[in-house]
């Protein structure tokens, strides 16, 4: 594979090159992984200086997440912006079904020239999904995309992962009922920069407005974080169905991003994220040795001795570390 | 330190030897750690064949956990049984306060000759607390204790840790209100072998009976686990204050243990736990290399390059793994 050629295609914003590059980084084959690392390194070395607004988006099922993403994406492409949509769904490997897995779900947006939609890669562990999603974000950014939406379900661990790879975090809520009633896990609310109360239309409009002002009140009680300008975190109503309030959401997001850039929070956050993923990859790479021979076999033999009570867990672990892992 | 002598003291059930041994395993000093491993290995090699009933006990604050443990422990010692009480409290290191930290909390029980109470060691991480608790359990078992209660707070992660080192798990609840209202995290209910609705006395007696039968009904709807005999998991009422129902709790626990022994589940669970902790210690030992020189320094230098965008996280991680960790 001509990685140099592929990198040039991505930098030129060519759709086919981008699709091929993402397929490459999602591959589990060892030679593909080497090529993918080579590709990412080349794109990094170019110093293209392009930065998309990376937006994490969470919300429990039923809140209208895909309708919102499609309407929000259409609004952006209509304004001449390029938008990528990715998903982090740790459950997709098990369930077979996946958020964004259903291609028809965002049919209109997927036909847009300025949009690029990719479902969650079906990896068995969150770490694998996280790596591929980070690389896909970097590819979309190198290809000149203005915004990358990273969608996830409101289940806790995946939100933390998404927050570690995005510039801001939006939480979509339904009118009426508190966040706990809606199944939003504790801790996710605290991560949000923008709360979006969806379905502010028809007979739910009044309820949405009320829910929004309830949240706005609650947000004012929270301690101000250094990375927040006046008025943030912010609660807003939107109607994905009626495509209302979407441009305002984008305005607020870009205003927040602009402030964070000027105050140095943007760069600090991206640097901190880079360090976080470096350390995560080191840990993962180190632990991968336990799954390879001869360590794997020795570990199985020692585990059998531990199970039989012939040796304590501590001594068996010490033995393995000393004799097979040079630790 | 004469480890051979200490081991003999523990096996003879000497209180002072036991206390010294537990102090030794709780020490963070490197030479103490070596002596502790030596001690545990000697006790394991003796093949003393003693097995305590290891009981995990959880319950949110206010449910009467210490009153229950004291009353339950007094009932056991009165029947001539030896009972140990340990705590796993991951928060103790931070908060300074600790469950069981207050020595006066179980004043009566702590004066009993047949009882041995030890607060949670103040470690900074759950892994350290877990190791010391496992070793303390093994020491109490070697010293001929009949039951070891491992207490924890209902916060989730520590329950999983306690379940991986005990033979059965009991959850203490208050009358009235569901488990979620009582702050019991999801998943903990599913771990319980016995639900104990406490405070079945005075004006709360009727509520306790009702709550208990509600839970009994709910438990019948759960899918039967292979490790459960007919009628388990079980819900029971107790009154720690009036010391009522405690002997029945012990009877149910021993009946459950007896059935699991005869069906092979007991040995299988202990073997599985031993393997689990062996693997956990290997992982922890491997990752400890990242905190030692020269890896630590190299990692810091590479992290700075990653933060500055000079190299991608993936390539930096590969470099560290290849050049410093032989992986």
């Amino acid at each position: 594979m001509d990685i140099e050629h592929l990198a040039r295609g991505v930098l030129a914003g060519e759709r086919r090159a981008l699709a091929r590059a993402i397929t490459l980084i999602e591959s589990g084959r060892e030679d593909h992984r080497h090529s993918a690392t080579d590709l990412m390194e080349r794109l990094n070395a170019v110093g293209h200086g392009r930065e998309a607004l990376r937006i994490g988006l969470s919300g429990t099922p039923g809140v209208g997440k895909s309708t919102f993403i499609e309407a929000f994406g259409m609004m952006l492409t209509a304004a001449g912006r390029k938008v990528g949509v990715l998903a982090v769904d740790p459950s997709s490997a098990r369930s077979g079904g996946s958020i964004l897995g259903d291609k028809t779900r965002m049919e209109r947006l997927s036909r847009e020239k300025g949009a690029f939609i990719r479902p969650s890669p079906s990896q068995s562990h969150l770490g694998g999904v996280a790596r591929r999603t980070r690389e896909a974000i970097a590819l979309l950014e190198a290809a000149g995309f203005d915004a990358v939406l990273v969608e996830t379900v409101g289940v806790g661990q995946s939100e933390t992962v998404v927050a570690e790879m995005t510039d801001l975090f939006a939480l979509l809520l339904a009118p009426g009922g508190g966040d706990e009633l809606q199944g939003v896990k504790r801790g996710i609310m605290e991560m949000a920069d923008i709360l979006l109360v969806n379905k502010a239309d028809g007979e739910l409009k009044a309820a949405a407005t009320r829910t929004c002002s309830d949240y706005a009140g609650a947000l004012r009680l929270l301690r101000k974080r250094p990375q927040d300008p006046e008025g943030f975190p912010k609660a807003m109503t939107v109607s994905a169905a009626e495509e209302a309030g979407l441009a305002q959401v984008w305005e607020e997001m870009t205003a927040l991003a602009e402030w964070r850039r000027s105050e140095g929070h943007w760069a600090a956050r991206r640097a901190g994220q880079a360090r976080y993923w470096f350390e995560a990859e080191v840990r993962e790479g180190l632990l991968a040795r336990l799954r390879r021979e001869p360590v794997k076999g020795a570990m199985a033999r020692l585990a059998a001795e531990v199970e039989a009570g012939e040796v304590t867990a501590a001594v068996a672990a010490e033995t393995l570390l000393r004799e097979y892992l040079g630790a």
Side-chain angles (χ1 to χ4, degrees), chain A:
Chain A
M1 193 178 297
D2 186 348
I3 298 300
E4 177 59 37
H5 181 74
L6 189 58
R8 273 201 305 273
V10 169
L11 287 167
E14 289 167 16
R15 231 190 141 73
R16 280 197 49 215
L18 185 59
R20 279 184 58 214
I22 292 187
T23 302
L24 179 67
I25 59 157
E26 285 181 354
S27 168
R29 265 175 53 182
E30 184 116 354
D31 57 329
H32 286 174
R33 190 94 284 282
H34 283 295
S35 300
T37 304
D38 183 14
L39 172 66
M40 300 315 296
E41 193 59 14
R42 276 168 201 263
L43 292 173
N44 185 65
V46 165
H48 53 71
R50 294 169 184 166
E51 281 187 336
L53 182 54
R54 306 172 178 177
I55 305 160
L57 182 75
S58 179
T60 45
V63 80
K65 216 154 58 235
S66 31
T67 316
F68 172 80
I69 293 173
E70 177 150 57
F72 190 66
M74 293 297 289
M75 180 274 295
L76 289 174
T77 55
R81 299 193 193 280
K82 291 172 78 180
V83 58
V85 182
L86 304 169
V88 167
D89 178 10
S91 68
S92 65
R94 268 167 299 158
S95 67
S98 155
I99 47 173
L100 282 178
D102 184 2
K103 275 272 184 182
T104 62
R105 228 190 49 174
M106 296 184 192
E107 216 184 317
R108 274 200 308 152
L109 186 60
S110 63
R111 282 197 305 265
E112 283 291 307
K113 251 192 69 186
F116 195 94
I117 302 179
R118 197 78 174 190
S120 184
S122 47
Q123 295 287 326
S124 52
H125 62 296
L126 193 51
V129 174
R131 183 187 205 163
R132 273 132 194 95
T133 308
R134 283 186 293 124
E135 290 179 342
I137 291 172
L139 286 171
L140 288 163
E141 202 155 58
F145 276 63
D146 301 286
V148 180
L149 280 163
V150 186
E151 177 191 8
T152 187
V153 288
V155 294
Q157 217 199 336
S158 57
E159 269 69 18
T160 314
V161 166
V162 169
E164 281 292 349
M165 53 175 74
T166 52
D167 302 312
L168 61 86
F169 203 85
L171 179 61
L172 208 63
L173 294 160
D179 42 302
E180 292 202 42
L181 276 177
Q182 294 189 31
V184 175
K185 296 262 180 203
R186 219 162 298 187
I188 292 181
M189 189 61 68
E190 285 75 9
M191 286 164 46
D193 297 297
I194 300 187
L195 298 182
L196 300 170
V197 183
N198 192 21
K199 306 190 183 178
D201 45 52
E203 54 186 25
L204 284 175
K205 189 158 187 173
T209 307
R210 206 164 47 239
T211 301
C212 181
S213 69
D214 286 350
Y215 275 115
L219 290 174
R220 275 192 293 273
L221 297 177
L222 291 180
R223 197 153 48 111
K224 207 169 161 304
R225 303 173 302 180
Q227 70 271 29
D228 290 331
E230 200 54 45
F232 279 89
K234 177 162 289 189
M236 308 174 70
T237 57
V238 288
S239 164
E242 296 186 348
E243 302 181 6
L246 302 172
Q248 288 91 312
V249 171
W250 177 248
E251 267 169 41
E252 293 290 351
M253 284 177 170
T254 47
L256 175 61
E258 209 39 66
W259 186 86
R260 286 189 179 163
R261 262 182 217 280
S262 66
E263 298 291 318
H265 296 298
W266 175 286
R269 177 161 173 159
R270 287 217 169 177
Q273 289 175 341
R275 169 189 283 268
Y276 174 91
W277 290 112
F278 161 63
E279 291 173 352
E281 296 230 350
V282 168
R283 282 193 301 271
E284 206 165 295
L286 199 51
L287 293 176
R289 295 179 64 184
L290 303 179
R291 297 188 295 270
R292 285 197 301 268
E293 298 299 352
V295 182
K296 192 181 166 189
M299 196 160 168
R301 284 192 300 278
L302 280 162
E305 291 178 27
V306 169
E307 285 196 353
E310 292 161 17
V311 62
T312 63
V315 167
E318 264 178 34
T319 305
L320 189 76
L321 288 164
R322 193 179 54 241
E323 293 182 12
Y324 288 88
L325 294 158

